[in-house]
Amino acid sequence: MVTRRNGLMLISAALLLGAAGTARTVSAQASSQTDESRLALKGYDPVAYFTEGRPTPGNPKFESIWDEARYRFASDEHMAMFRADPEHYVPQYEGHCAGALALGLKIEANPESWLIKDGRLFVFAFDQPPAVFTSDEIAAADKNWKLLKDAPIDTDLRFQQ
């Protein structure tokens, strides 16, 4: 059973396994965080996590730019929902791995590894989201995001896609 105490240890272990090559790798090409043309969530529809309960690829004909990133949507309806309330739907930490941020690392996430907690969308670098992502881990990620938001992605930890 996963407890609050060992939740961070599980995230740490998953990140270390990923660094050893057993998790997925993100290409260095996806690392630009200040370019307005950056494709958020690798093109997945952020609204679908909330409405469909699953990651859904977006369609390039339904696209919107918000906060220096391009978002794609599966439908015009989802794009309209996003435009009406983008802060509700955007992934936390601009789509970087929430677990890594809790540890003070900034790495790209896998949009198929996700969870919604307290109405917030979190994505993770490994194949599956952690069984537990505690309030303490979220607080640590929130604090570290303020420090790491403008830092480059940590390229020593590459996850392959």
mmCIF file of all heavy atoms in Angstrom, residues 35 83 150:
data_model
loop_
_atom_site.group_PDB
_atom_site.id
_atom_site.type_symbol
_atom_site.label_atom_id
_atom_site.label_comp_id
_atom_site.label_asym_id
_atom_site.label_seq_id
_atom_site.Cartn_x
_atom_site.Cartn_y
_atom_site.Cartn_z
ATOM 1 N N ASP A 35 9.189 29.799 -26.804
ATOM 2 C CA ASP A 35 8.749 30.001 -28.175
ATOM 3 C C ASP A 35 7.230 29.920 -28.237
ATOM 4 O O ASP A 35 6.641 28.938 -27.800
ATOM 5 C CB ASP A 35 9.387 28.923 -29.058
ATOM 6 C CG ASP A 35 9.025 29.041 -30.508
ATOM 7 O OD1 ASP A 35 8.312 29.994 -30.894
ATOM 8 O OD2 ASP A 35 9.453 28.179 -31.271
ATOM 9 N N ARG A 83 -11.122 28.330 -24.440
ATOM 10 C CA ARG A 83 -11.013 29.788 -24.582
ATOM 11 C C ARG A 83 -11.832 30.525 -23.532
ATOM 12 O O ARG A 83 -11.468 31.616 -23.105
ATOM 13 C CB ARG A 83 -11.439 30.213 -25.985
ATOM 14 C CG ARG A 83 -10.402 29.870 -27.028
ATOM 15 C CD ARG A 83 -10.847 30.288 -28.401
ATOM 16 N NE ARG A 83 -9.779 30.086 -29.379
ATOM 17 C CZ ARG A 83 -9.954 30.173 -30.679
ATOM 18 N NH1 ARG A 83 -11.152 30.476 -31.183
ATOM 19 N NH2 ARG A 83 -8.950 29.975 -31.502
ATOM 20 N N ASP A 150 11.527 29.496 -15.505
ATOM 21 C CA ASP A 150 12.311 30.027 -16.613
ATOM 22 C C ASP A 150 13.632 29.285 -16.829
ATOM 23 O O ASP A 150 14.403 29.641 -17.716
ATOM 24 C CB ASP A 150 12.591 31.518 -16.387
ATOM 25 C CG ASP A 150 11.303 32.333 -16.409
ATOM 26 O OD1 ASP A 150 10.405 32.002 -17.213
ATOM 27 O OD2 ASP A 150 11.187 33.275 -15.614
#
